[in-house]
Amino acid sequence: MKSSYFLVTSAIAASLLTAVPASAATLLFDLSGSRNATFTLEVDPVVPDRVNNQPLLGGSQIFFNNVPGTFNGIAGSGNVNFGSGSILAALNISAPGLGFTQFGGADLFSFVDGRPVFNTGTFNFSGIATGRSTLIISEVSGAVPEPATWLMLILGFAAVGGSMRMKRRKTRATIAYA
C-alpha cells in the first residue's frame, strides 16, 4: 500500500514539474483574389530564416524559406517574404504556380522586443501587375492536447483502476464470552 501511494504521488509530482503551457501558436495565411495561396507558420516565437531591418527606410522585411502550402492550386513549398513600414509594406511569394508577387498594403507584422509579431485580420493588397488580393491571417486552434494533459488523464485512469482492483480487507470480529 505504501509503495503504490509513493509511486502515485511521485508520478503526480513529476507531471507537475514537467507540465508547461503550450508555447507554439500557428497562424493560417489565406491569400485570395488575383493570386491564391494558403499556408501556415509556427509563430510563437517567430523564427524567420532571414531578417532585413531597414530603419532608415522606415521598415523591415522577414523571410521564410520552404514554407509548405498550396500556391495557385499547386501543393508544394515556396519562399514567403513579408515587409512592413511605409516603403517596404509588401507580401512576396515565390512558389510553384504563383511566381513572384508583390503587393503594397498595410503592415502585416511589427517588431516587439526584437522579434516579429504578426497582426491578425484581413488585409487588402493591390499592385499594378498583380491586381487585387485579400490576405486573411487567423490563428489555428490546437486540436491535440499537451503531453502533460495526456499524462494527467492516464494517471487518473490508473488511480481509478488501481482503487477498483484493490482487494477489500475483511475485518474479523471476535466475540469472547467471559
Side-chain angles (χ1 to χ4, degrees):
M1 178 70 181
K2 288 184 181 182
S3 63
S4 64
Y5 177 75
F6 176 74
L7 288 174
V8 170
T9 55
S10 297
I12 291 172
S15 69
L16 290 176
L17 291 175
T18 59
V20 293
S23 62
T26 303
L27 289 181
L28 173 66
F29 295 81
D30 188 11
L31 178 67
S32 60
S34 59
R35 303 282 195 247
N36 297 303
T38 302
F39 55 92
T40 58
L41 291 174
E42 297 290 329
V43 295
D44 193 14
V46 174
V47 182
D49 292 311
R50 189 173 65 123
V51 175
N52 184 12
N53 210 351
Q54 298 287 336
L56 294 177
L57 295 176
S60 302
Q61 289 180 304
I62 54 176
F63 301 85
F64 295 92
N65 298 328
N66 300 318
V67 176
T70 303
F71 304 95
N72 266 356
I74 300 172
S77 61
N79 300 332
V80 181
N81 310 327
F82 299 95
S84 71
S86 57
I87 297 175
L88 299 174
L91 166 66
N92 305 321
I93 301 175
S94 176
L98 192 59
F100 185 80
T101 305
Q102 182 167 351
F103 301 96
D107 287 345
L108 300 175
F109 70 95
S110 59
F111 276 98
V112 176
D113 296 329
R115 67 179 187 92
V117 176
F118 281 95
N119 300 319
T120 57
T122 303
F123 302 91
N124 294 315
F125 295 99
S126 62
I128 297 170
T130 57
R132 295 191 156 295
S133 293
T134 301
L135 176 68
I136 299 173
I137 302 175
S138 58
E139 288 191 37
V140 177
S141 61
V144 178
E146 300 175 32
T149 303
W150 281 106
L151 181 64
M152 291 300 286
L153 180 71
I154 291 169
L155 284 175
F157 281 131
V160 169
S163 66
M164 290 176 62
R165 198 172 162 98
M166 291 179 73
K167 292 182 179 179
R168 304 259 180 222
R169 294 186 186 201
K170 294 181 180 178
T171 56
R172 292 184 154 210
T174 57
I175 301 173
Y177 294 101

